Amino acid sequence: TDCIHLTPTCADNILNREFTASKPNEKWITNVIELKYGSSKKAYLSVILDFDGSILAMYLATNNNKLVFYTLVKEIPSICGKHYLLYSDRGFQFTSHGFKGRIDQVGLTHNMSRVGRCIE
């Protein structure tokens, strides 16, 4: 695995470019998007999508530190007792110890792209 010498919260690339899913809620993808508005303001949109493109949860905020937690918390009630794969890049939000703890707590399998390969 390419996670050995990286952050301890790194996850393996289980998906290995297999982006199709055989049923809804089998594979999810999450990311944070920076939105600029006004002369120098920023907002951040955190989204969890099913691999069919449907939006499962989203959260918009002007501070992106805890943004991914809020988005995940919105989706937690539908996760209970199920085992899903959550795909993300290696952004600081997704490699944090707090995010890893939350993923483990709800029983999701976290998949991360390889370093420098956001769509893998």
Side-chain angles (χ1 to χ4, degrees):
T1 176
D2 56 5
C3 296
I4 293 170
H5 299 291
L6 301 174
T7 169
T9 59
C10 174
D12 289 330
N13 184 6
I14 301 163
L15 205 62
N16 199 24
R17 299 192 50 79
E18 182 55 50
F19 296 118
T20 58
S22 61
K23 59 187 176 191
N25 292 318
E26 183 179 21
K27 299 173 184 174
W28 293 348
I29 186 168
T30 188
N31 207 349
V32 175
I33 301 155
E34 181 182 275
L35 306 167
K36 295 181 181 181
Y37 66 97
S39 60
S40 63
K41 296 181 180 182
K42 294 179 185 178
Y44 301 91
L45 177 64
S46 174
V47 181
I48 298 176
L49 300 173
D50 201 344
F51 264 72
D52 69 0
S54 58
I55 297 171
L56 300 170
M58 66 178 163
Y59 194 84
L60 180 67
T62 55
N63 179 333
N64 100 18
N65 288 341
K66 297 192 180 196
L67 189 62
V68 295
F69 293 107
Y70 296 133
T71 311
L72 190 58
V73 165
K74 282 185 167 188
E75 195 51 35
I76 284 176
S78 71
I79 296 172
C80 294
K82 300 173 184 163
H83 189 76
Y84 300 140
L85 181 76
L86 180 66
Y87 174 80
S88 74
D89 61 18
R90 293 178 187 240
F92 74 91
Q93 304 94 333
F94 307 116
T95 59
S96 72
H97 291 285
F99 190 75
K100 169 81 167 107
R102 178 61 64 149
I103 292 291
D104 291 347
Q105 180 183 19
V106 297
L108 288 170
T109 299
H110 194 188
N111 179 97
M112 288 183 165
S113 58
R114 294 184 304 157
V115 175
R117 303 296 296 259
C118 61
I119 60 169
E120 290 186 21

